[in-house]
Structures are given as C-alpha cells and as structure tokens.
Amino acid sequence: MGQRVKTSPTTAPFTIGVVDHIQSVQLSETRKLNIYLPANYNKDINTRYPIIYLLDGSANEDFIHITGIVQFLTMIEAMPQTIVIGIENVDRKRDFTFPTRNKQDLKDTPTSGKSAKFIAFIEKELQPYIEKKYRTNQKKTIIGQSLGGLLATEVLLKKPTLFNQYVIVSPSLWWDDESLLADAPVLLKASHNIRRQVYVLVGNEHKVMQEDAAKLADLLRVTADTTLQVNYTFLPDENHLTILHNAVYKALMVLNKKPE
C-alpha cells in the first residue's frame, strides 16, 4: 500500500465531475451517478446543455476517458458543451439484458433479463431527475458498448423517443439467439417519423458480433424512414477491449458535425 498524498497550501484535489445519487423505485436500490459539467456551467447560468447518458459509467469503467473526449471536442468546438451522466453499474448483466430462452445464456448469466426495469428507471426516474436538477436542453445521447450496446439497441427499437442520438458500439446482439435483430423490422415500423441519429461501430472482434453489427445497420437503413440517420463504421485495428475510445471519438465528431 502506498502512502496517501497529503494536500498542502500549494496543492489541491483535481476533480473532473461530481457524484450524485438517485433512489430508484423501479430498481429497488440507490444508483450512483458520476456527472461531468461543462466548463462554463456555473458561470453562464442561462445556458441549457445537451446530455450524454453513459452506460458503464463508473470511474473505473468508461466515465473518465469518455468525459476526456467530450472535454477535448468541446474545447476545439467540434461539439457543443455537454453534460455527461455516467450511470455506475450494480449488475450490468441484469440491467442490460432482456429475458432469454437460450439455456447457455441463462446458465452463464443467472441474474439476467431485467432490462425492462432498467429502461423504466431511465425513462421514469433518471431523465426526469436530471432534467429537473441540471440545466439541460432536449438533445439526449446514449452511449453503450457490448451488453451496453445491446441495451442501447433495445431502447432504440422499443423506446425510441428517449434519446435523439444513439452510439452503439460492439453490441451483444447474439443475446437470446439474435431475437432483437429478428424483431427489429416490426419494431422499426412502429417508430416512423421520430427523428434520430444512430451510429453503429464494431471492431475486429468475434465474427458473430461483426456480422450482427453490420446487420443492425442494414436493417436500420432499409426498414426505417428518412427521419432516421444511420452511420456504420468497421474499425479493423480495434478489438473488443480497445474499441470504445476511438469509436466514441469518431461518432461524436460525425453526430455533431455542423451543416455545410
């Protein structure tokens, strides 16, 4: 164990955000939120900001490096100053998956299948709480990778109005024998005329994951109407462990590109 560094008159803690908590009735637990506020948030009290909801948003998961991307892109004016809400996990396999009929899925992930409750938490508790407590505007983005990408896809297909932008990275669409992909055409027909932007990205990963990500992008393009803008990128130099940082950078650059 290393010694704790003591502060002195010339040193102070360096922080990049604040920690908040929300008591969830839907989930029957308290959830921790890591929140990054734009540099001017406390200076310009009249401005309202877009929000990014980040799945896997704990400090030792994706919160720090994703907020770094947001800070950099806002600094170079490639995207507007944005609030980031990192949703810290309790049981991601429980929260990010819908019920499965696949026996191996059930054996490997016995707590799985509660995504409907987690989506209800986002819709009925988290978003209203954030929009009441922080100065937000109507632009809302969700970022999810792997099982988080599965959850983001489920939200896109079943609750499309919850977000304007979806960054879906290496989604685990193999879950329940790809049933979400099979249901996608019917689900998409019910969500016409809802303006959204979707960016699907996948790396040099398992063959099924690559094929499913490409299939999702194709289904979105073919089935959806013109109000749905779809982007897809294959990143051959990235694997499942390395892809998120580069994928989010690319996605935020494109999704926030100013009209020429």
Side-chain angles (χ1 to χ4, degrees):
M1 296 289 291
Q3 293 182 342
R4 180 177 294 179
V5 177
K6 296 182 179 179
T7 60
S8 72
T10 60
T11 64
F14 179 80
T15 59
I16 64 168
V18 298
V19 176
D20 203 343
H21 294 84
I22 178 172
Q23 179 63 42
S24 172
V25 175
Q26 297 292 330
L27 301 173
S28 301
E29 62 193 13
T30 300
R31 297 303 294 254
K32 183 178 178 181
L33 308 173
N34 298 304
I35 299 176
Y36 167 81
L37 298 173
N40 293 332
Y41 186 85
N42 292 318
K43 299 175 184 177
D44 181 2
I45 62 173
N46 295 315
T47 299
R48 306 186 75 84
Y49 297 91
I51 325 167
I52 290 174
Y53 289 87
L54 175 65
L55 303 174
D56 296 318
S58 69
N60 63 355
E61 292 176 309
D62 300 327
F63 180 73
I64 293 175
H65 70 101
I66 296 302
T67 54
I69 293 171
V70 172
Q71 188 274 341
F72 175 73
L73 292 180
T74 58
M75 182 178 67
I76 65 172
E77 299 184 350
M79 66 179 288
Q81 292 199 35
T82 299
I83 298 170
V84 180
I85 310 296
I87 309 169
E88 190 155 313
N89 282 323
V90 172
D91 182 349
R92 70 192 300 271
K93 293 178 180 179
R94 175 198 72 185
D95 292 338
F96 296 170
T97 60
F98 50 86
T100 179
R101 294 153 292 187
N102 183 288
K103 292 181 179 179
Q104 191 63 48
D105 291 347
L106 291 168
K107 181 180 178 180
D108 293 341
T109 52
T111 64
S112 65
K114 302 299 190 296
S115 63
K117 288 188 175 182
F118 190 75
I119 294 170
F121 158 69
I122 293 174
E123 178 182 16
K124 298 177 181 180
E125 298 175 331
L126 180 58
Q127 287 190 348
Y129 175 80
I130 294 300
E131 290 163 14
K132 181 178 180 180
K133 187 169 183 178
Y134 299 94
R135 297 196 312 276
T136 67
N137 62 27
Q138 296 302 308
K139 184 178 179 182
K140 293 175 285 190
T141 301
I142 186 170
I143 297 174
Q145 182 198 11
S146 195
L147 286 179
L150 176 69
L151 188 281
T153 305
E154 185 180 3
V155 175
L156 170 66
L157 296 176
K158 297 179 181 179
K159 291 282 185 176
T161 59
L162 287 187
F163 299 96
N164 316 106
Q165 296 182 334
Y166 293 77
V167 179
I168 300 171
V169 183
S170 306
S172 298
L173 295 168
W174 48 263
W175 181 258
D176 189 35
D177 299 318
E178 303 175 325
S179 66
L180 194 59
L181 282 174
D183 294 341
V186 173
L187 293 169
L188 283 166
K189 288 179 181 178
S191 63
H192 278 199
N193 301 314
I194 300 174
R195 190 164 298 281
R196 291 150 295 157
Q197 293 176 287
V198 181
Y199 208 133
V200 181
L201 305 99
V202 69
N204 191 7
E205 309 175 55
H206 192 284
K207 182 181 179 182
V208 173
M209 184 165 282
Q210 292 183 43
E211 292 175 347
D212 284 353
K215 189 182 298 182
L216 173 63
D218 288 340
L219 283 170
L220 293 173
R221 290 192 184 106
V222 171
T223 310
D225 63 9
T226 56
T227 59
L228 179 60
Q229 177 186 320
V230 182
N231 296 277
Y232 168 77
T233 298
F234 172 60
L235 299 173
D237 295 330
E238 306 292 347
N239 60 43
H240 200 66
L241 294 177
T242 67
I243 187 173
L244 185 64
H245 193 98
N246 195 13
V248 170
Y249 183 94
K250 289 179 180 296
L252 292 181
M253 284 285 290
V254 171
L255 295 177
N256 291 283
K257 187 177 181 180
K258 298 176 183 177
E260 296 181 356

mmCIF file with all atom_site columns, all heavy atoms in Angstrom, residues 181-192:
data_model
loop_
_atom_site.group_PDB
_atom_site.id
_atom_site.type_symbol
_atom_site.label_atom_id
_atom_site.label_alt_id
_atom_site.label_comp_id
_atom_site.label_asym_id
_atom_site.label_entity_id
_atom_site.label_seq_id
_atom_site.pdbx_PDB_ins_code
_atom_site.Cartn_x
_atom_site.Cartn_y
_atom_site.Cartn_z
_atom_site.occupancy
_atom_site.B_iso_or_equiv
_atom_site.pdbx_formal_charge
_atom_site.auth_seq_id
_atom_site.auth_comp_id
_atom_site.auth_asym_id
_atom_site.auth_atom_id
_atom_site.pdbx_PDB_model_num
ATOM 1  N N   . LEU A 1 181 ? -32.618 -8.654  -33.269 1.00 0.00 ? 181 LEU A N   1
ATOM 2  C CA  . LEU A 1 181 ? -32.462 -8.404  -34.709 1.00 0.00 ? 181 LEU A CA  1
ATOM 3  C C   . LEU A 1 181 ? -33.677 -8.928  -35.478 1.00 0.00 ? 181 LEU A C   1
ATOM 4  O O   . LEU A 1 181 ? -34.154 -8.276  -36.414 1.00 0.00 ? 181 LEU A O   1
ATOM 5  C CB  . LEU A 1 181 ? -31.187 -9.076  -35.233 1.00 0.00 ? 181 LEU A CB  1
ATOM 6  C CG  . LEU A 1 181 ? -29.859 -8.376  -34.957 1.00 0.00 ? 181 LEU A CG  1
ATOM 7  C CD1 . LEU A 1 181 ? -28.706 -9.261  -35.414 1.00 0.00 ? 181 LEU A CD1 1
ATOM 8  C CD2 . LEU A 1 181 ? -29.794 -7.022  -35.650 1.00 0.00 ? 181 LEU A CD2 1
ATOM 9  N N   . ALA A 1 182 ? -34.161 -10.093 -35.091 1.00 0.00 ? 182 ALA A N   1
ATOM 10 C CA  . ALA A 1 182 ? -35.324 -10.673 -35.772 1.00 0.00 ? 182 ALA A CA  1
ATOM 11 C C   . ALA A 1 182 ? -36.559 -9.798  -35.603 1.00 0.00 ? 182 ALA A C   1
ATOM 12 O O   . ALA A 1 182 ? -37.387 -9.688  -36.518 1.00 0.00 ? 182 ALA A O   1
ATOM 13 C CB  . ALA A 1 182 ? -35.591 -12.077 -35.241 1.00 0.00 ? 182 ALA A CB  1
ATOM 14 N N   . ASP A 1 183 ? -36.691 -9.155  -34.438 1.00 0.00 ? 183 ASP A N   1
ATOM 15 C CA  . ASP A 1 183 ? -37.863 -8.317  -34.164 1.00 0.00 ? 183 ASP A CA  1
ATOM 16 C C   . ASP A 1 183 ? -37.720 -6.894  -34.695 1.00 0.00 ? 183 ASP A C   1
ATOM 17 O O   . ASP A 1 183 ? -38.711 -6.143  -34.730 1.00 0.00 ? 183 ASP A O   1
ATOM 18 C CB  . ASP A 1 183 ? -38.101 -8.244  -32.653 1.00 0.00 ? 183 ASP A CB  1
ATOM 19 C CG  . ASP A 1 183 ? -38.498 -9.580  -32.057 1.00 0.00 ? 183 ASP A CG  1
ATOM 20 O OD1 . ASP A 1 183 ? -38.934 -10.472 -32.827 1.00 0.00 ? 183 ASP A OD1 1
ATOM 21 O OD2 . ASP A 1 183 ? -38.352 -9.747  -30.830 1.00 0.00 ? 183 ASP A OD2 1
ATOM 22 N N   . ALA A 1 184 ? -36.518 -6.528  -35.109 1.00 0.00 ? 184 ALA A N   1
ATOM 23 C CA  . ALA A 1 184 ? -36.243 -5.134  -35.473 1.00 0.00 ? 184 ALA A CA  1
ATOM 24 C C   . ALA A 1 184 ? -37.153 -4.576  -36.568 1.00 0.00 ? 184 ALA A C   1
ATOM 25 O O   . ALA A 1 184 ? -37.662 -3.452  -36.427 1.00 0.00 ? 184 ALA A O   1
ATOM 26 C CB  . ALA A 1 184 ? -34.780 -4.973  -35.871 1.00 0.00 ? 184 ALA A CB  1
ATOM 27 N N   . PRO A 1 185 ? -37.412 -5.279  -37.674 1.00 0.00 ? 185 PRO A N   1
ATOM 28 C CA  . PRO A 1 185 ? -38.261 -4.687  -38.729 1.00 0.00 ? 185 PRO A CA  1
ATOM 29 C C   . PRO A 1 185 ? -39.639 -4.276  -38.240 1.00 0.00 ? 185 PRO A C   1
ATOM 30 O O   . PRO A 1 185 ? -40.119 -3.187  -38.576 1.00 0.00 ? 185 PRO A O   1
ATOM 31 C CB  . PRO A 1 185 ? -38.329 -5.808  -39.774 1.00 0.00 ? 185 PRO A CB  1
ATOM 32 C CG  . PRO A 1 185 ? -37.067 -6.580  -39.582 1.00 0.00 ? 185 PRO A CG  1
ATOM 33 C CD  . PRO A 1 185 ? -36.828 -6.566  -38.102 1.00 0.00 ? 185 PRO A CD  1
ATOM 34 N N   . VAL A 1 186 ? -40.268 -5.118  -37.440 1.00 0.00 ? 186 VAL A N   1
ATOM 35 C CA  . VAL A 1 186 ? -41.605 -4.792  -36.920 1.00 0.00 ? 186 VAL A CA  1
ATOM 36 C C   . VAL A 1 186 ? -41.521 -3.631  -35.942 1.00 0.00 ? 186 VAL A C   1
ATOM 37 O O   . VAL A 1 186 ? -42.351 -2.702  -35.975 1.00 0.00 ? 186 VAL A O   1
ATOM 38 C CB  . VAL A 1 186 ? -42.236 -6.025  -36.244 1.00 0.00 ? 186 VAL A CB  1
ATOM 39 C CG1 . VAL A 1 186 ? -43.537 -5.640  -35.553 1.00 0.00 ? 186 VAL A CG1 1
ATOM 40 C CG2 . VAL A 1 186 ? -42.486 -7.120  -37.267 1.00 0.00 ? 186 VAL A CG2 1
ATOM 41 N N   . LEU A 1 187 ? -40.523 -3.650  -35.067 1.00 0.00 ? 187 LEU A N   1
ATOM 42 C CA  . LEU A 1 187 ? -40.369 -2.582  -34.081 1.00 0.00 ? 187 LEU A CA  1
ATOM 43 C C   . LEU A 1 187 ? -40.090 -1.244  -34.757 1.00 0.00 ? 187 LEU A C   1
ATOM 44 O O   . LEU A 1 187 ? -40.593 -0.193  -34.333 1.00 0.00 ? 187 LEU A O   1
ATOM 45 C CB  . LEU A 1 187 ? -39.255 -2.927  -33.096 1.00 0.00 ? 187 LEU A CB  1
ATOM 46 C CG  . LEU A 1 187 ? -39.531 -4.116  -32.165 1.00 0.00 ? 187 LEU A CG  1
ATOM 47 C CD1 . LEU A 1 187 ? -38.264 -4.526  -31.434 1.00 0.00 ? 187 LEU A CD1 1
ATOM 48 C CD2 . LEU A 1 187 ? -40.622 -3.776  -31.170 1.00 0.00 ? 187 LEU A CD2 1
ATOM 49 N N   . LEU A 1 188 ? -39.319 -1.265  -35.822 1.00 0.00 ? 188 LEU A N   1
ATOM 50 C CA  . LEU A 1 188 ? -38.981 -0.023  -36.519 1.00 0.00 ? 188 LEU A CA  1
ATOM 51 C C   . LEU A 1 188 ? -40.192 0.592   -37.213 1.00 0.00 ? 188 LEU A C   1
ATOM 52 O O   . LEU A 1 188 ? -40.313 1.812   -37.299 1.00 0.00 ? 188 LEU A O   1
ATOM 53 C CB  . LEU A 1 188 ? -37.868 -0.276  -37.536 1.00 0.00 ? 188 LEU A CB  1
ATOM 54 C CG  . LEU A 1 188 ? -36.457 -0.399  -36.952 1.00 0.00 ? 188 LEU A CG  1
ATOM 55 C CD1 . LEU A 1 188 ? -35.504 -0.986  -37.974 1.00 0.00 ? 188 LEU A CD1 1
ATOM 56 C CD2 . LEU A 1 188 ? -35.947 0.954   -36.465 1.00 0.00 ? 188 LEU A CD2 1
ATOM 57 N N   . LYS A 1 189 ? -41.085 -0.251  -37.707 1.00 0.00 ? 189 LYS A N   1
ATOM 58 C CA  . LYS A 1 189 ? -42.274 0.276   -38.378 1.00 0.00 ? 189 LYS A CA  1
ATOM 59 C C   . LYS A 1 189 ? -43.148 1.081   -37.426 1.00 0.00 ? 189 LYS A C   1
ATOM 60 O O   . LYS A 1 189 ? -43.877 1.978   -37.844 1.00 0.00 ? 189 LYS A O   1
ATOM 61 C CB  . LYS A 1 189 ? -43.078 -0.864  -38.989 1.00 0.00 ? 189 LYS A CB  1
ATOM 62 C CG  . LYS A 1 189 ? -42.411 -1.487  -40.212 1.00 0.00 ? 189 LYS A CG  1
ATOM 63 C CD  . LYS A 1 189 ? -43.235 -2.622  -40.770 1.00 0.00 ? 189 LYS A CD  1
ATOM 64 C CE  . LYS A 1 189 ? -42.546 -3.253  -41.983 1.00 0.00 ? 189 LYS A CE  1
ATOM 65 N NZ  . LYS A 1 189 ? -43.322 -4.400  -42.516 1.00 0.00 ? 189 LYS A NZ  1
ATOM 66 N N   . ALA A 1 190 ? -43.072 0.754   -36.141 1.00 0.00 ? 190 ALA A N   1
ATOM 67 C CA  . ALA A 1 190 ? -43.879 1.456   -35.146 1.00 0.00 ? 190 ALA A CA  1
ATOM 68 C C   . ALA A 1 190 ? -43.259 2.776   -34.703 1.00 0.00 ? 190 ALA A C   1
ATOM 69 O O   . ALA A 1 190 ? -43.867 3.524   -33.950 1.00 0.00 ? 190 ALA A O   1
ATOM 70 C CB  . ALA A 1 190 ? -44.082 0.565   -33.922 1.00 0.00 ? 190 ALA A CB  1
ATOM 71 N N   . SER A 1 191 ? -42.057 3.060   -35.183 1.00 0.00 ? 191 SER A N   1
ATOM 72 C CA  . SER A 1 191 ? -41.370 4.273   -34.723 1.00 0.00 ? 191 SER A CA  1
ATOM 73 C C   . SER A 1 191 ? -41.035 5.226   -35.868 1.00 0.00 ? 191 SER A C   1
ATOM 74 O O   . SER A 1 191 ? -40.073 5.973   -35.797 1.00 0.00 ? 191 SER A O   1
ATOM 75 C CB  . SER A 1 191 ? -40.083 3.892   -33.976 1.00 0.00 ? 191 SER A CB  1
ATOM 76 O OG  . SER A 1 191 ? -39.175 3.215   -34.841 1.00 0.00 ? 191 SER A OG  1
ATOM 77 N N   . HIS A 1 192 ? -41.825 5.186   -36.936 1.00 0.00 ? 192 HIS A N   1
ATOM 78 C CA  . HIS A 1 192 ? -41.605 6.109   -38.045 1.00 0.00 ? 192 HIS A CA  1
ATOM 79 C C   . HIS A 1 192 ? -41.862 7.547   -37.599 1.00 0.00 ? 192 HIS A C   1
ATOM 80 O O   . HIS A 1 192 ? -42.609 7.811   -36.656 1.00 0.00 ? 192 HIS A O   1
ATOM 81 C CB  . HIS A 1 192 ? -42.511 5.753   -39.224 1.00 0.00 ? 192 HIS A CB  1
ATOM 82 C CG  . HIS A 1 192 ? -41.950 4.637   -40.061 1.00 0.00 ? 192 HIS A CG  1
ATOM 83 N ND1 . HIS A 1 192 ? -42.358 4.390   -41.347 1.00 0.00 ? 192 HIS A ND1 1
ATOM 84 C CD2 . HIS A 1 192 ? -41.007 3.713   -39.791 1.00 0.00 ? 192 HIS A CD2 1
ATOM 85 C CE1 . HIS A 1 192 ? -41.705 3.349   -41.833 1.00 0.00 ? 192 HIS A CE1 1
ATOM 86 N NE2 . HIS A 1 192 ? -40.884 2.929   -40.914 1.00 0.00 ? 192 HIS A NE2 1
#
